[in-house]
Every structure is written in structure tokens, then in C-alpha cells.
Amino acid sequence: MWINCTAAIVSRLTAADIDILGPVFKGDDTLYLERKRKMATHRWASARKWNDMVINVKYFGMVAEAVGQGQEEIVLPSSELDLRQFFVARYPRLQAMTWKLAVDQELIEGIVVLQDHAEVVLLPPFAGG
């Protein structure tokens, strides 16, 4: 019996899940499932629970230099958190810097409730007119 699984579902399976599902698959299908799980896109690779969420993070200016990259996808176990504390814990160099946070193109402060695949942007200080 063949089970048609999308890459997102297959990538969330743990080794224990595959052991449980093993009897459902015949022959090489179990190996195929394991191979598909390992090859799944990186945004799901570290997700282990069905309620995990992914956020898309972009870094600009000196913030990007401090974290060493311009963007990344992060898997979060919860949708409600203080993003400033989260990023300072993840990248300690941000503690000494001044920067702003935006979620889905709105500047935010404090605890925020995120939606799956929210766009989070860390911005350096800026002046406008």
C-alpha cells in the first residue's frame, strides 16, 4: 500500500514515526520515505512537532553584519514571544546595538503573536523625513 505524502509532511516525521509507519510500507518504500524526509526543504528539516511554525527573518545594515547573514528561516515552537529577547538570546552581539523590529511591515515592540510564515525584519537605526 502506497501513501502519498507531501515533502512538508514527510520532513516532519521523526525516526520513531517511521518505525511506527514501517509496517505500512513494503520493501524499499520505507527507505524512500526516510530519504524523502532527509531531503525535504531546510525550512522543515528541524521541525519536529505539528504545531511548530516557521518565520522568515531578514536582517539589514549593521544588524546583518552582526548576525552574519542577510536572511534565514527559523522554526519556532510557539507563536507568542518577545522577539527582541529571542533575537538577543540567539545573537548576543545584538545586545549592545540599537535596532528596530518589524513584523509583516509594521514596527512592533514587546510580545507579539506571530502567524505562520510571518516576515520579521531587524532594522538598523534610521532617520527619515
Side-chain angles (χ1 to χ4, degrees):
M1 178 171 138
W2 175 254
I3 295 179
N4 187 10
C5 297
T6 65
I9 292 171
V10 170
S11 66
R12 290 181 177 207
L13 295 176
T14 64
D17 296 327
I18 291 172
D19 289 342
I20 292 168
L21 292 172
V24 174
F25 299 99
K26 294 180 181 177
D28 292 336
D29 292 345
T30 301
L31 295 174
Y32 174 77
L33 180 63
E34 176 66 13
R35 195 165 50 247
K36 287 296 275 186
R37 184 181 70 83
K38 287 182 180 177
M39 292 179 357
T41 59
H42 69 280
R43 72 176 183 193
W44 296 111
S46 61
R48 293 292 181 224
K49 296 179 183 170
W50 292 103
N51 61 347
D52 285 345
M53 70 168 14
V54 176
I55 60 170
N56 303 310
V57 183
K58 294 181 181 178
Y59 307 98
F60 292 97
M62 65 183 197
V63 176
E65 291 173 15
V67 301
Q69 58 191 336
Q71 66 182 25
E72 68 178 320
E73 289 185 336
I74 299 175
V75 177
L76 298 173
S78 172
S79 64
E80 185 176 329
L81 71 149
D82 185 332
L83 285 174
R84 183 166 291 281
Q85 288 181 354
F86 173 79
F87 284 109
V88 167
R90 187 173 175 98
Y91 301 109
R93 292 181 65 190
L94 294 176
Q95 179 77 36
M97 299 173 61
T98 301
W99 47 278
K100 299 258 186 212
L101 273 165
V103 175
D104 294 328
Q105 301 180 0
E106 290 186 35
L107 291 174
I108 59 110
E109 291 288 332
I111 296 174
V112 65
V113 176
L114 299 169
Q115 300 296 321
D116 199 23
H117 294 286
E119 180 183 64
V120 177
V121 179
L122 278 71
L123 300 163
F126 55 88

